[in-house]
Amino acid sequence: ELVLTQSPGTLSLSPGERVTLSCRASQSVSNNYLAWYQQKPGQAPRLLVYGASTRVIGIPDRFSGSGSGTDFTLTISRLEPEDFAVYYCQQYGSSPYTFGQGTKLEIK
Amino acid sequence: QVQLQESGPGLVKPSETLSLTCTVSGYPISSGYYWGWIRQPPGKGLEWIGTIYHSGSTYYNPSLQSRATISVDTSKNQFSLKLSSVTAADTAVYYCVRRGAFYYVAYWGQGTLVTVSS
């Protein structure tokens, strides 16, 4: 099973700051089939990026995904108050399709 | 706009079968895409359970394959999950979802909490 490790577990930041979230895979993710989701308390996750770098229509362009192989990142160029949430990466290159354990962005 | 809504008992006894239904609106299941279930234990991460195509073709997470059954009723635009022999470890929020072009999730239901307890 391909394991995804997200780091750090929690980040305390202020609105306006730039942040880069890391997702590292235990083996290469086939075809860079990696997605990122945002989840707010009491809500379902929301798809932000798929294919490592393709942003979903309607997602603000301050969100960008990059990476390949085993190392992937999600960058938020300038944090807005509504961006404070938990972020998950997910690989869908090989079964079972697994998620990382999440990174929580909290307001400093 | 595709919308998914889970329904089913919020409390299931250990060793019994968990049964949930997802009602889809805004898109006919028979038109395509894969539909499925993901769960999230309280305070924890996400786990794919499995998916189904309108033809009945299924995929299951190998860790749950022996206990999970997903079925589809295109006449009602619904699909369902049955998970047998549940334990406390199956306590989770269960989401019904529509897959994207591949195994990422494009649409989510709001989720329903199922607690396994006597």
Side-chain angles (χ1 to χ4, degrees):
Chain A
E1 175 174 311
L2 196 156
V3 176
L4 297 176
T5 301
Q6 293 187 243
S7 59
T10 303
L11 269 174
S12 298
L13 295 164
S14 300
E17 289 194 81
R18 177 187 178 92
V19 63
T20 298
L21 309 182
S22 172
C23 177
R24 180 162 290 176
S26 59
Q27 56 192 274
S28 184
V29 176
S30 178
N31 298 117
N32 294 328
Y33 282 168
L34 188 107
W36 289 93
Y37 303 86
Q38 176 194 69
Q39 186 176 35
K40 296 180 180 179
Q43 296 184 16
R46 176 174 69 148
L47 179 67
L48 302 174
V49 169
Y50 61 93
S53 60
T54 301
R55 192 168 51 246
V56 172
I57 294 173
I59 298 301
D61 61 7
R62 64 180 181 273
F63 291 90
S64 62
S66 63
S68 64
T70 60
D71 290 296
F72 298 88
T73 59
L74 177 72
T75 298
I76 309 173
S77 59
R78 185 178 172 84
L79 282 167
E80 297 288 341
E82 62 268 26
D83 299 337
F84 290 91
V86 179
Y87 291 82
Y88 293 96
C89 58
Q90 181 228 336
Q91 68 82 21
Y92 52 97
S94 58
S95 172
Y97 310 109
T98 50
F99 292 84
Q101 83 279 17
T103 290
K104 182 179 181 181
L105 283 187
E106 61 179 29
I107 298 178
K108 194 177 212 178
Chain B
Q1 174 75 350
V2 179
Q3 294 187 312
L4 302 94
Q5 178 67 58
E6 305 88 352
S7 60
L11 181 64
V12 180
K13 290 182 168 55
S15 80
E16 295 190 343
T17 296
L18 176 160
S19 295
L20 295 173
T21 296
C22 182
T23 301
V24 179
S25 57
Y27 189 89
I29 288 178
S30 58
S31 291
Y33 286 103
Y34 285 80
W35 307 83
W37 296 90
I38 287 175
R39 69 180 182 178
Q40 184 174 35
K44 296 188 178 180
L46 298 150
E47 181 181 36
W48 265 106
I49 299 172
T51 59
I52 191 164
Y53 197 60
H54 65 82
S55 62
S57 171
T58 54
Y59 158 81
Y60 296 105
N61 186 322
S63 68
L64 293 166
Q65 185 161 14
S66 63
R67 298 195 292 129
T69 302
I70 299 175
S71 58
V72 64
D73 186 339
T74 55
S75 67
K76 295 181 179 178
N77 221 38
Q78 295 177 332
F79 60 99
S80 299
L81 168 69
K82 291 188 185 301
L83 188 65
S84 64
S85 305
V86 297
T87 69
D90 295 308
T91 293
V93 175
Y94 285 76
Y95 295 100
C96 60
V97 302
R98 193 188 91 174
R99 211 192 75 173
F102 297 96
Y103 271 94
Y104 55 87
V105 179
Y107 294 94
W108 300 74
Q110 66 184 27
T112 187
L113 174 63
V114 179
T115 301
V116 179
S117 175
S118 55

